[in-house]
Amino acid sequence: MSEFKIGPLNHVGVAVPDLEEACETYRTLYGATDITTPFDMPEQGVKVCFVNLPNSQIELIEPLNEDSPIHNFIQKNPKGGQHHVCFEVDDVHQAVEEMGKRGATVLGKPRIGAHGTLIIFVHPKNSNGVLIELMETPEGHH
């Protein structure tokens, strides 16, 4: 087996039916003060913002339309819920290769994620029921 391994936890993705309402929950219930301005990612079918925390981030994700991959998640979980866990890696293409060698199913091709770096997702069946996102470490991070 190669030396490939995951790096730091970058964020936890939480799918929500209403992004503004979710932001308000993090502000009023949990006292979060550093929440990014929501932005659309039409190529992924989502609207996103980040709750910045001292040691990580919560990525809040709302579907933009019925074609969004998050739409089905919200249909099954109308109040929303934990969607994925994201770890940083040095090289997404190496991660794709290693996941294949190690018998994991990578969902789709590498693509640009909300942090502006390449990402992939590993099927939950390979990770004890948890959808795992692997993203290249953003520049200037860590």
Side-chain angles (χ1 to χ4, degrees), residues 35-111:
I35 300 175
T36 66
T37 301
F39 58 96
D40 291 353
M41 296 190 67
E43 63 282 355
Q44 303 228 13
V46 295
K47 179 183 258 189
V48 175
C49 75
F50 290 94
V51 179
N52 292 313
L53 305 169
N55 63 339
S56 190
Q57 293 179 311
I58 304 292
E59 178 184 36
L60 300 175
I61 317 159
E62 176 187 329
L64 280 176
N65 52 48
E66 291 184 6
D67 296 329
S68 169
I70 301 299
H71 177 74
N72 290 337
F73 184 93
I74 295 295
Q75 291 293 103
K76 294 176 190 165
N77 307 279
K79 292 185 177 192
Q82 191 261 314
H83 182 261
H84 66 271
V85 176
C86 177
F87 297 100
E88 296 178 14
V89 297
D90 292 333
D91 182 332
V92 161
H93 296 288
Q94 180 190 18
V96 169
E97 186 178 323
E98 283 302 318
M99 292 301 100
K101 286 179 184 175
R102 296 177 186 188
T105 301
V106 173
L107 303 172
K109 303 276 184 219
R111 55 200 172 276

Side-chain angles (χ1 to χ4, degrees), residues 124-142:
K125 72 180 180 186
N126 302 119
S127 305
N128 308 103
V130 177
L131 179 63
I132 300 293
E133 178 182 357
L134 301 177
M135 69 175 275
E136 284 188 2
T137 302
E139 265 189 56
H141 205 252
H142 299 290

Side-chain angles (χ1 to χ4, degrees), residues 12-31:
V12 175
V14 177
V16 299
D18 184 315
L19 200 59
E20 291 302 322
E21 189 177 296
C23 288
E24 191 58 27
T25 297
Y26 278 88
R27 272 189 207 94
T28 59
L29 186 61
Y30 299 111

